[in-house]
């Protein structure tokens, strides 16, 4: 009798193990089907999902640090005194939210309140000769993201104006689906407004991550219209969007699929979302300085170097210098924190000086 009980117990354990193994196999099979079959098909046939994966413009409940309920009208809540929040119409039925952050020497000079006098004062301040930086952020979040605010403070400490905008579909800008063409339209409209108000004051662009794609496209267009800005800083840029997708941690999980191009890349190409920085940078005849951290895990420094090489090969011989600054990995700046570098203030001053007098 004891022997029979022992065999029965062993048989029971084997049975439970087999059931557990079948469950694991079923779960893995379902996961692989969803990830390798259903998800790529969904991406191919869903323009909305394609846009979200690239721009990350829509807040997901419970998963976003920043939402559309942020107090953009109160930049002082982000310790940005001397800042005007306003909205600019970029085309029919589309407006974008903007912060005009005053340079340090002017931050306590603006009139209080939201009067027309204050608006005119801010606009007139752009003509006083203090360099102006239009900042173009990357995907996700808004102009109020904390690491972006830290960069604004650094730029302000160098006595520069900062124009920080949110593209359509982001933050408190008009809630329409973003596209490469749409974002470029927004940026060109903001630049035209600032340039008109600035007079002879130099206007520069500082672009980060996906914002480098928007900047290169928009500035190439502006330069072809003989309306170039004075200079461009690219932080953590890529050579083109498809190269970035292939090396991104999420994109790499799908590159082994035989239908990868069909499901991921072709729909983006057909919708015009390519952000081909290599192509556009050839048509930007202004000073361009590239900043990239060696430990950038989102846009690897190799892509920044490829863009730099393309610029050196394809720009006109008489075009101003392109410079590349890499930041060693032991600093831990990664993708978002180059502004913490003690060398950056000096780099900014040298850039402004070089670009201001470049011909």
């Amino acid at each position: 009798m004891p022997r029979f009980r022992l065999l029965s117990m062993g048989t029971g354990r084997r049975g439970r193990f087999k059931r557990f193994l079948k469950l694991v196999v079923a779960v893995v099979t379902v996961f692989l089907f969803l990830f390798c079959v259903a998800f790529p098909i969904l991406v191919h046939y869903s323009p909305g999902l394609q846009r979200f994966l690239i721009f990350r413009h829509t807040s997901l409940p419970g998963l976003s640090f920043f939402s559309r309920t942020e107090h953009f009208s109160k930049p002082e809540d982000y310790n940005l005194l001397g800042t005007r929040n306003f909205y600019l119409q970029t085309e029919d039925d589309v407006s974008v939210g903007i912060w005009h952050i005053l340079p340090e020497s002017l931050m306590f000079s603006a009139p209080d309140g939201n009067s027309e006098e204050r608006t005119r004062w801010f606009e007139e301040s752009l003509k006083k000769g203090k360099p102006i930086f239009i900042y173009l952020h990357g995907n996700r979040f808004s102009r109020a993201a904390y690491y972006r605010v830290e960069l604004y403070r650094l730029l302000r400490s160098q006595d520069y104006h900062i124009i920080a905008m949110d593209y359509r579909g982001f933050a408190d800008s008009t809630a329409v689906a973003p596209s490469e063409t749409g974002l470029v339209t927004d940026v060109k409209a903001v630049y035209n407004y600032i340039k008109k108000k600035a007079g002879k004051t130099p206007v520069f662009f500082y672009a980060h991550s996906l914002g480098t794609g928007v900047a290169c496209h928009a500035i190439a267009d502006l330069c072809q219209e003989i309306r170039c800005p004075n200079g461009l800083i690219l932080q953590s840029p890529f050579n083109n969007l498809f190269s970035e997708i292939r090396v991104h941690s999420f994109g790499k999980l799908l590159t082994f699929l035989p239908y990868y191009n069909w499901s991921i890349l072709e729909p983006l190409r057909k919708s015009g979302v390519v952000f081909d920085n290599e192509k556009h940078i050839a048509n930007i005849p202004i000073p361009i300085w590239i900043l990239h951290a060696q430990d950038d895990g989102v846009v690897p420094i190799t892509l920044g170097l490829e863009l730099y090489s393309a610029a050196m090969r394809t720009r006109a011989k008489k075009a101003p210098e392109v410079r590349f600054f890499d930041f060693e990995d032991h600093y831990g700046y990664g993708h978002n924190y180059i502004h913490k570098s003690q060398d950056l203030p000096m780099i900014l001053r040298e850039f402004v000086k070089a670009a201001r007098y470049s011909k």
Side-chain angles (χ1 to χ4, degrees):
M1 190 69 179
R3 183 179 179 183
F4 173 77
R5 189 182 302 119
L6 180 62
L7 290 173
S8 177
M9 289 174 62
T11 303
R13 289 193 186 98
R14 285 194 297 272
R16 286 194 296 272
F17 177 75
K18 287 181 179 179
R19 288 194 296 272
F20 174 75
L21 187 60
K22 288 180 180 179
L23 178 62
V24 170
V25 170
V27 169
V28 170
T29 301
V30 170
F31 173 79
L32 290 175
F33 173 79
L34 291 175
F35 188 75
C36 298
V37 180
F39 177 72
I41 292 175
L42 184 61
V43 171
H44 181 84
Y45 290 108
S46 175
L49 181 57
Q50 295 164 21
R51 285 191 295 268
F52 174 74
L53 292 174
I54 299 302
F55 298 105
R56 302 287 295 277
H57 58 289
T58 303
S59 298
L60 296 177
L63 295 180
S64 177
F65 293 106
F66 303 95
S67 70
R68 298 180 70 89
T69 60
E70 289 175 285
H71 297 155
F72 297 103
S73 62
K74 296 181 178 179
E76 60 271 17
D77 289 353
Y78 304 91
N79 197 25
L80 291 173
L81 301 177
T83 299
R84 173 192 173 213
N85 179 73
F86 68 103
Y87 301 89
L88 182 72
Q89 185 171 340
T90 59
E91 61 179 3
D92 293 344
D93 302 321
V94 176
S95 64
V96 297
I98 302 171
W99 281 347
H100 174 186
I101 304 163
L102 292 172
E104 194 168 69
S105 63
L106 298 176
M107 63 184 293
F108 296 113
S109 303
D112 294 330
N114 295 307
S115 64
E116 292 184 9
E117 176 190 3
R118 189 171 192 266
T119 297
R120 285 195 300 271
W121 190 97
F122 267 84
E123 291 179 340
E124 288 293 322
S125 72
L126 294 171
K127 297 180 180 179
K128 296 182 178 180
K130 302 293 184 183
I132 302 167
F133 276 88
I134 299 176
Y135 176 74
L136 304 183
H137 67 65
N139 66 4
R140 301 200 306 167
F141 307 146
S142 72
R143 63 187 183 277
Y146 73 93
Y147 54 90
R148 293 167 186 159
V149 172
E150 289 178 351
L151 174 62
Y152 309 156
R153 292 176 186 149
L154 172 63
L155 292 168
R156 160 177 273 182
S157 73
Q158 302 305 303
D159 222 23
Y160 306 145
H161 291 272
I162 305 97
I163 306 297
M165 62 175 288
D166 272 303
Y167 321 107
R168 64 184 66 196
F170 286 78
D172 55 343
S173 297
T174 302
V176 296
S179 65
E180 180 170 347
T181 301
L183 269 60
V184 168
T185 298
D186 293 341
V187 169
K188 290 168 68 176
V190 171
Y191 173 77
N192 291 337
Y193 165 79
I194 295 300
K195 189 66 178 175
K196 181 179 179 180
K197 301 296 181 182
K200 295 183 179 180
T201 302
V203 180
F204 308 101
F205 276 88
Y206 189 120
H208 176 228
S209 193
L210 187 69
T212 66
V214 184
C216 288
H217 190 160
I219 295 173
D221 286 356
L222 289 168
C223 290
Q224 288 180 342
E225 299 165 7
I226 320 300
R227 294 187 293 123
C228 283
N230 293 83
L232 170 63
I233 292 179
L234 299 173
Q235 178 184 330
S236 306
F238 47 82
N239 55 333
N240 62 73
L241 180 63
F242 295 161
S243 293
E244 163 59 14
I245 291 174
R246 288 189 179 96
V247 300
H248 191 275
S249 56
F250 183 76
K252 284 192 292 188
L253 296 175
L254 297 171
T255 53
F256 72 93
L257 297 174
Y259 42 87
Y260 172 75
N261 287 341
W262 172 86
S263 62
I264 307 296
L265 301 186
E266 284 185 15
L268 292 172
R269 186 178 290 109
K270 289 180 180 178
S271 65
V273 181
V274 293
F275 290 114
D276 193 350
N277 290 349
E278 288 175 317
K279 169 188 172 182
H280 295 304
I281 205 166
N283 300 312
I284 304 178
I286 59 176
I288 302 173
W289 289 20
I290 299 173
L291 316 176
H292 220 127
Q294 294 177 358
D295 62 334
D296 191 327
V298 178
V299 180
I301 193 171
T302 53
L303 299 189
L305 288 168
E306 287 188 26
L307 180 61
Y308 172 72
S309 297
M312 296 297 289
R313 290 194 313 270
T314 61
R315 295 172 84 232
K317 292 181 179 180
K318 294 183 179 180
E321 182 183 20
V322 179
R323 296 185 63 181
F324 190 97
F325 298 84
D326 65 324
F327 297 81
E328 296 179 359
D329 52 9
H330 65 84
Y331 290 113
Y333 297 144
H335 187 62
N336 293 324
Y337 301 103
I338 285 178
H339 63 270
K340 294 182 179 293
S341 170
Q342 295 181 354
D343 295 326
L344 188 55
M346 181 184 66
I347 292 172
L348 290 169
R349 290 192 296 270
E350 290 183 359
F351 168 77
V352 169
K353 182 178 179 181
R356 203 168 189 173
Y357 300 105
S358 175
K359 295 182 180 180

